[in-house]
Amino acid sequence: MAGMRAITVPQPGGPEALTWAEVPDPVPGEGEVLVEVVATAVNRADLLQRQGFYDPPPGASPYPGLECSGRIVALGAGVSGWGVGDEVCALLAGGGYAERVAVPVGQLLPVPKGVSLEEAAALPEVTATVWSNLFMVAHLRPTETVLLHGGASGIGTMAIQLAKAVGARVLVTAGSAEKLARCAELGADVGINYREQDFAEAVREATGGAGVDVVLDIMGAKYLERNVASLALNGRLVVIGLQGGVKAELNLGALLAKRAAVVATSLRGRPLAEKAAIVAGVREHVWPLIEGGVVRPVVHQVLPLAEAGAGHRLLESGAQVGKVVLRV
Ligand SMILES: NC(=O)c1ccc[n+]([C@@H]2O[C@H](COP(=O)([O-])OP(=O)(O)OC[C@H]3O[C@@H](n4cnc5c(N)ncnc54)[C@H](OP(=O)(O)O)[C@@H]3O)[C@@H](O)[C@H]2O)c1
């Protein structure tokens, strides 16, 4: 049997649980291509999967890795529009931490012009998450104001750029002056250091009491009450991360008075057709902005894939701004 190497998790645990091992080659099924991976990137979800708290969805590769870049080396049955040798990046349900991965064609994107294959590995997860939540779910408009929590995160650095590209006013939170300075360089209009000031109070000041039209939240329970308080009339709170817990009390009266909405979404477990629709939207709306130089991948550091544990330690330290890429 042909084989490849991948980062496996024989026993859930700390970063040392990640083990570079020989495993069987994936076989592309119908409507899939086989990609020889050049690079992948670390996502928060990978840390949870490594700890045993986030199993891959049914049918997905058991190895971590929600995105990759590389070259197509084989086509499964019924694939058209892509060829062997094409340079691509891809949104994955798993398996990016490997030398090869099978990818449904609906999750493939061409490497944008002007972006290296290594940088391209940092794009699929953040572009798909930000595009789907800020625009397909929250319908952020050019005249509106958005609050982005974790402005210096992988997600935050892309969200700042895309929200500015459509003309919205952008408020961000981060835990240090250095991170807020990086957010300002990317275009953020207002930076809030949540360690020094209550963010809801800062939002009130920055918006003259009106609040923001959209909040993109990664903290969940801990921020729910203040996020709702920060919404303007007809505001939309989109929760995509639960770093501050899952259960909190929701004041429906506050929502009702503002005619506001709370939505929570995740990307990984969605059906293929939904992922394909998101990826198509990214290709149509986000790729031209990247190729035009308006939006750029933000890569904090590139590490060898065999040292994936160091990448996980870096994300756990919270020191990074943007994405950590792992090169095969
Ligand atoms: N639902 C989905 O489909 C989906 C998809 C992708 C990612 N996500 C979620 O999005 C979040 C960001 O992901 P990522 O991969 O970009 O992770 P990341 O780069 O590791 O970012 C995590 C961020 O959390 C920030 N943070 C920690 N405590 C905070 C607090 N009290 N207030 C505000 N920010 C705080 C950290 O910045 P500071 O140093 O500034 O605190 C850090 O920038 C994660 O929660 C992830 O699970 C969800």
Side-chain angles (χ1 to χ4, degrees):
M1 182 172 39
M4 65 165 185
R5 286 169 305 170
I7 292 287
T8 62
V9 188
Q11 279 299 323
E16 69 287 346
L18 299 173
T19 308
W20 191 222
E22 287 282 336
V23 298
D25 243 338
V27 178
E30 190 169 347
E32 293 183 342
V33 302
L34 187 66
V35 171
E36 185 134 68
V37 177
V38 166
T40 181
V42 185
N43 285 281
R44 282 262 134 190
D46 306 344
L47 314 186
L48 296 174
Q49 180 170 341
R50 186 203 74 215
Q51 292 168 302
F53 299 136
Y54 191 30
D55 289 335
S61 163
Y63 318 123
L66 299 177
E67 56 195 332
C68 74
S69 61
R71 293 181 187 87
I72 295 178
V73 289
L75 307 179
V79 171
S80 59
W82 298 93
V84 169
D86 285 354
E87 294 193 334
V88 295
C89 54
L91 184 70
L92 306 172
Y97 287 23
E99 290 178 323
R100 285 179 283 285
V101 63
V103 186
V105 285
Q107 287 158 231
L108 287 172
L109 288 153
V111 173
K113 286 184 202 69
V115 172
S116 70
L117 261 173
E118 219 165 76
E119 291 173 314
L123 288 172
E125 182 70 21
V126 292
T127 53
T129 301
V130 173
W131 175 256
S132 58
N133 287 292
L134 277 192
F135 301 100
M136 295 169 76
V137 173
H139 302 289
L140 179 67
R141 286 182 288 267
T143 52
E144 292 189 322
T145 299
V146 61
L147 170 66
L148 306 169
H149 287 299
S153 66
I155 294 291
T157 50
M158 179 52 62
I160 293 169
Q161 296 183 80
L162 284 178
K164 285 311 293 177
V166 303
R169 181 168 185 240
V170 176
L171 285 63
V172 296
T173 61
S176 72
E178 294 73 29
K179 284 190 172 183
L180 288 173
R182 292 295 306 281
C183 294
E185 280 167 26
L186 292 168
D189 299 291
V190 178
I192 301 165
N193 186 333
Y194 66 83
R195 294 186 206 277
E196 291 178 350
Q197 193 182 9
D198 176 72
F199 78 82
E201 202 178 285
V203 167
R204 252 194 320 276
E205 282 169 18
T207 60
V212 294
D213 302 292
V214 174
V215 178
L216 186 64
D217 176 62
I218 60 172
M219 296 304 292
K222 187 174 168 192
Y223 277 11
L224 181 65
E225 188 180 347
R226 283 180 286 163
N227 277 334
V228 170
S230 299
L231 287 175
L233 277 182
N234 299 305
R236 292 86 74 196
L237 163 61
V238 186
V239 180
I240 63 162
L242 301 169
Q243 291 174 212
V246 298
K247 278 195 186 169
E249 210 168 81
L250 175 63
N251 181 345
L252 290 169
L255 268 194
L256 187 142
K258 292 181 175 183
R259 302 184 294 281
V262 181
V263 187
T265 77
S266 80
L267 189 56
R268 189 183 196 180
R270 293 199 196 206
L272 289 183
E274 281 185 34
K275 285 190 189 168
I278 291 169
V279 168
V282 165
R283 187 171 179 176
E284 183 184 345
H285 300 283
V286 180
W287 252 224
L289 296 171
I290 295 174
E291 295 190 334
V294 177
V295 169
R296 300 301 301 166
V298 179
V299 175
H300 181 84
Q301 197 175 349
V302 182
L303 294 165
L305 176 57
E307 293 166 27
H312 280 217
R313 281 189 195 94
L314 182 51
L315 241 72
E316 279 168 354
S317 78
Q320 84 289 0
V321 172
K323 299 282 294 186
V324 174
V325 166
L326 302 172
R327 184 184 47 228
V328 174

